[in-house]
Amino acid sequence: MAVAEAVKKNAYEAALENFDTAADALELDYDTREIIKYPERVLEVSLPVRMYDGRIHRFQGYRVQHSTARGPAKGGIRYHPYVNLDEVKALATWMTWKCALVNIPFGGGKGGVACNPKEMTQEELERLTRRYVASILPLIGPERDIPAPDVYTNPQVMAWIMDTYSMAQGYTVQGVVTGKPIGLGGSLGRNEATGRGVFFSVQSACTHLKIPLKGAKAAVQGFGNVGSIAAQLLHSHEARVIAVNDSRGSIYNPKGLDIPKLIAHKKETGRVSGFTGAEEIQPEELMGMKCDILIPAALENAIDSDNAPQVRAMIVAEAANGPVTPEADRILEEKGVFRIPDILCNAGGVTVSYFEWVQNEQHLFWEAQDVYNRLERVMHSAFAEVLKINLERKVSMRTAANMVGVGRVAEAVKLRGLFP
Ligand code: GLU
């Protein structure tokens, strides 16, 4: 199935299925389910942008607020050709349970624009971003809904978001967006936070399964911000990253790839292919690689019912959002593969986003080590909490993680009562 089709078909259905499984395990009543299951608000916007050649191109954009029960909606903005409303709804839903799981005072949201930033100039991207922000302006704000980076958006895009919002308000509002450049009120450690959080959760899983991290073999699918930083941290803790890929190719070295050099190569050439000290392999070989830790760090549905039977890893660490379809999840369960579910594994990003927002609200900035220490505590304790439910209730790590997240949101809506 083409990736676009797979993304369209499954993501939101999978999100609803995750919810139902957790709600059943929690024995949640019907009324509470009706209140918390579906997105609170959905906005679809049409974005005409003047392109480099003088013509107008129209892009489709979205912002979904799934929940504001525990605080402002929170979640990234994705720029990718496959972005569609169902995908954004799924991603917003997962953000709600993720924020609740790590117990930060946010709900869940997500935004996206269907576009291909790889084929756009910086000026076009800036115009698109500013037009998008102007169109979703009534929804966002530091107490309402706080965007952040996601696939193919970065600190520069966040800077344009902050500037556009601030221009409309008439004064500078740092807390409207996280993942900003440091010079504009960004937090130290935010850029690496998702990859660092993935590393902490892999560390916890290895301790639990008694797999020594030193010498452990890892394969990483996707070598963007998250995949490359997780790989770098594994490498610096003497794990062997034996295979890596990106959208343009896949490489392999059984002795372990030199990750700092690979990051430099990717920066220079825009791809992992062509790296000296590695052989090129087919993308499907990576998923079936015999290794201890497999890290899908790209898009949804990377592991589906077609390739799940081939997975030979002990641990699947879901650095991406929704990388394992529900059918594939059942196959991995039967094979005894330990899965670190996405809302736990990749929660480091939004956790440090919360730290950034706190620093912006307080106008007081923390040292990098404070950010790392607090992040480590949050990740290890969330892992321990999920593992406890997994062992005691004999449910999967995914269901356990969703039970914590859904349970906290259910508690919040019960306490608030129903308006009007
Ligand atoms: N896009 C990231 C995620 O999916 C980060 C969201 C945020 O920091 O708000 O978790």
Side-chain angles (χ1 to χ4, degrees), residues 9 85 97 144 184 246 254 269 310 349 362 371 376 382 386 399:
K9 192 170 169 282
L85 182 56
W97 320 134
R144 294 171 187 273
L184 272 185
D246 61 17
T269 65
Q310 274 96 59
Q362 297 189 331
V371 173
E376 184 166 3
V386 172
T399 300

Side-chain angles (χ1 to χ4, degrees), residues 74-76 95 98 110 146-150 178 190 194 321 346 349-350 353:
K74 184 83 190 82
M95 284 310 301
K98 189 188 304 186
K110 202 80 172 199
I146 307 142
D150 195 79
T178 58
R190 173 61 186 89
T194 311
N321 289 309
N346 70 34
V350 77
S353 275

